[in-house]
Amino acid sequence: MANTANSGTTTERDESNDDVSESALDTARRQLNRAATHLDIDPNIIKRLRHPARVQRVTVPLKRDDGSVEVFTGYRAQHDDVRGPYKGGMRYHPGVTEEECIGLSMWMTWKCAVMDIPFGGAKGGVVVNSKQLSSAETERLTRRFAQELREVVGPTTDIPAPDMGTDSQTMAWFMDAYSMQEGETQPGVVTGKPPVIGGSFGREEAPGRSVALIVREACEYYEYGLDGTTVAVQGFGSVGANAARLLDEWGATVVAVSDVNGAAYNPDGIDTETVPSHEEEPEAVTQYGDETIGNEELLTLDVDVLIPAAVGNVLTQMNADDVQANLVVEGANGPTTSMADTILEENGIPVIPDILANAGGVTVSYFEWLQDINRRQWSLSRVNDELESEMLGAWNDVRAEVEDRDTTWRDAAYIVALSRIADAHEARGLWP
C-alpha cells in the first residue's frame, strides 16, 4: 500500500508512473488527502478515515457439480459507519483483493455522504471467475458465503448489493440463506433483490439513470443544451446502456457504444434501443453501427460528452491528452486515474466524478431498504421521481462548492462528502 499521507494536489506529471495499475485504495486515500486540504478538519478524523473499521477474510468451500471441492477466498471490507449501517456491493471476480475491497468501501463512504444517505461504505466479494460456475454452483457458493459473513452483515449492520459477477438472483439466494439462519425472513439484509421478494422497482436501471440525469444537468450548466449533444459511451452494460438509452430518448445523439470487443460507431447517431446491452446479449455491440472502432479510440472521439462506464483506470496519463470531449461524466467506479485527472484539468475538460454521477444505485438501494423496513413497496414512478429529486439535490450541493471555491467537480464532491462525515465524527466523538 502506498503511503500518501503527505500527498496533496498533483502539479507535475511523472511520466514513469504506471498509473494504469493505480489501486482503488491508493486513489481513495489520495482523494481523501486532497479534499482535506480544502477544509478545516481535525487531522485525527482524517487518520481514522484512511483505514477501514474492519476487513473480514473468509474461506468459502464449494462442492462442484462433478463432486470435487474447490476452496475460494472471500472478503468484506467495512470502512466507516458513523452515519449509518455499512452499504456496498458484493462482486464475484478473479481480480477481487483485500486492498481493492478497502478502496472501494472508502468510495462508498464518500458516495453515501455526497447523496446525504444514512449509510457508511462497505465492499466485498469472492475471488472467483463467475463465468466458470454453473447456476447451481453459484447458488451454493452464495449460500455458503452468506453463512460465513452472517456475523458481520444484517439489515442494521451491513447491507450488500449486486456488483460485478452478481445480480438480483444472487441477492435472493444471499437473503434466503441469511433468513434461514436467522429463523425469519429478513429482506433488508441485501438490496438489489427481485421485486417479488422485497426488491425495488427501478433498482437495476438506477445507476444508468443517475448518470443520464447528471449529464443533463451538466449540459445545461455549461449551456450545451442536451438536444443534439453528441455522446460516446464506453461500456454497454447496465450503467452504460440505461444512460445511453435515456439520453437518446431526451434528444442527445449517441454516436458510439462499446463492449469488451470494441465499439459501434456512427457519427450521425445510433438507435440505442436496437443495440442489446451486455445483459441482454453479451458481446454483441460491434454488430451495430456504421463502423467498428476500438475502445481506446472511443475514449478520444471528438464528442461533447464522454461516459466511461465499463471498468476502472481507462483514462490514464497515456491517453488523457488525447481526450477531445468537452465533458467527462464517470459511469464506472474509478475510470480516471489521478494523473489523468490532473491532465484533464490542465486541458480544461471538466470531470463529473463517479461518487456523484453513478450514485443512483446506492440511492435506490436506500429506497429499497426503506421499503423493506416498512413492508410497503413503491411504484416505479415514485422511485424515479424520488431518485431525480435526490440527484438534483446532490448536484446542487456539489455545484455550490464548485462555484464558491472555484474548484473541480471531483474536489467539490469530496468536500461535500468529507464535511458531512467529519461533522458526524465530531458529534459522536471517539469511544471510549
Side-chain angles (χ1 to χ4, degrees):
M1 298 180 187
N3 183 356
T4 58
N6 298 318
S7 66
T9 302
T10 304
T11 57
E12 296 182 0
R13 303 184 190 179
D14 178 5
E15 298 298 338
S16 65
N17 179 38
D18 178 18
D19 67 340
V20 177
S21 61
E22 179 178 85
S23 75
L25 181 56
D26 289 338
T27 303
R29 285 178 170 167
R30 188 175 291 113
Q31 290 165 343
L32 168 64
N33 293 332
R34 176 162 169 160
T37 64
H38 294 278
L39 298 167
D40 183 18
I41 294 177
D42 183 347
N44 290 317
I45 292 176
I46 302 301
K47 289 180 183 177
R48 292 170 65 182
L49 292 174
R50 286 174 51 81
H51 304 279
R54 175 191 297 179
V55 181
Q56 192 83 353
R57 181 181 185 273
V58 298
T59 295
V60 188
L62 168 67
K63 186 174 183 179
R64 304 298 297 261
D65 291 340
D66 64 5
S68 64
V69 173
E70 195 164 350
V71 179
F72 298 95
T73 300
Y75 299 99
R76 189 67 180 173
Q78 299 170 332
H79 175 241
D80 185 84
D81 66 344
V82 70
R83 290 168 45 85
Y86 300 108
K87 185 81 186 75
M90 185 178 81
R91 57 180 52 181
Y92 291 170
H93 192 272
V96 170
T97 66
E98 179 175 329
E99 185 177 56
E100 177 193 59
C101 290
I102 295 171
L104 293 174
S105 73
M106 293 175 71
W107 278 339
M108 281 301 300
T109 299
W110 319 142
K111 187 178 293 187
C112 293
V114 166
M115 296 305 300
D116 208 11
I117 292 170
F119 286 145
K123 206 75 171 185
V126 179
V127 188
V128 61
N129 186 342
S130 59
K131 296 179 181 178
Q132 296 178 354
L133 300 179
S134 69
S135 177
E137 289 171 337
T138 303
E139 179 177 356
R140 292 195 292 273
L141 180 78
T142 300
R143 291 181 180 278
R144 183 56 184 257
F145 191 38
Q147 171 60 22
E148 297 298 335
L149 293 183
R150 191 164 66 90
E151 297 300 319
V152 298
V153 299
T156 59
T157 307
D158 182 357
I159 306 115
D163 205 294
M164 294 171 59
T166 59
D167 56 19
S168 61
Q169 180 60 73
T170 318
M171 295 303 105
W173 290 327
F174 193 102
M175 185 271 278
D176 184 68
Y178 180 87
S179 297
M180 291 301 100
Q181 293 297 320
E182 291 295 302
E184 59 179 324
T185 299
Q186 295 272 4
V189 68
V190 295
T191 58
K193 306 176 296 295
V196 71
I197 55 169
S200 177
F201 295 115
R203 169 59 183 83
E204 185 176 346
E205 300 83 8
R209 177 171 285 272
S210 68
V211 169
L213 288 167
I214 293 301
V215 170
R216 186 191 70 189
E217 296 305 304
C219 286
E220 181 178 329
Y221 181 82
Y222 287 108
E223 301 180 345
Y224 300 152
L226 196 57
D227 190 33
T229 291
T230 54
V231 180
V233 182
Q234 187 193 51
F236 208 63
S238 177
V239 178
N242 283 297
R245 289 168 179 172
L246 270 176
L247 291 170
D248 194 357
E249 178 184 330
W250 294 344
T253 302
V254 179
V255 301
V257 296
S258 76
D259 59 22
V260 67
N261 295 320
Y265 173 64
N266 186 337
D268 295 324
I270 294 171
D271 182 358
T272 57
E273 287 294 340
T274 67
V275 183
S277 71
H278 180 76
E279 286 73 20
E280 293 163 348
E281 186 180 346
E283 303 182 14
V285 166
T286 53
Q287 300 173 30
Y288 300 81
D290 280 5
E291 60 180 291
T292 300
I293 62 175
N295 269 294
E296 276 293 323
E297 187 176 352
L298 179 148
L299 295 171
T300 60
L301 288 174
D302 185 4
V303 293
D304 296 312
V305 181
L306 171 64
I307 304 176
V311 295
N313 291 2
V314 296
L315 292 175
T316 71
Q317 64 175 334
M318 301 302 294
N319 62 7
D321 266 324
D322 298 323
V323 172
Q324 299 183 72
N326 295 321
L327 172 70
V328 176
V329 178
E330 296 183 334
N333 290 324
T336 311
T337 67
S338 300
M339 282 300 301
D341 228 14
T342 300
I343 295 168
L344 293 170
E345 181 182 353
E346 291 172 354
N347 293 344
I349 301 174
V351 179
I352 313 295
D354 50 359
I355 64 169
L356 172 62
N358 70 17
V362 72
T363 303
V364 176
S365 278
Y366 172 54
F367 298 163
E368 181 175 329
W369 184 69
L370 292 176
Q371 293 169 71
D372 290 336
I373 290 174
N374 292 293
R375 295 296 200 270
R376 186 175 181 85
Q377 195 167 57
W378 298 1
S379 67
L380 177 60
S381 60
R382 178 180 177 183
V383 170
N384 288 340
D385 287 347
E386 295 273 2
L387 173 60
E388 181 162 353
S389 176
E390 294 294 328
M391 292 307 303
L392 293 182
W395 165 264
N396 288 329
D397 290 340
V398 174
R399 178 182 53 77
E401 293 294 342
V402 168
E403 295 174 347
D404 292 346
R405 298 177 185 267
D406 189 27
T407 189
T408 67
W409 291 95
R410 191 181 308 280
D411 283 348
Y414 276 84
I415 289 166
V416 170
L418 187 55
S419 61
R420 288 171 176 164
I421 296 165
D423 286 348
H425 276 284
E426 287 284 0
R428 289 186 59 169
L430 178 63
W431 189 90

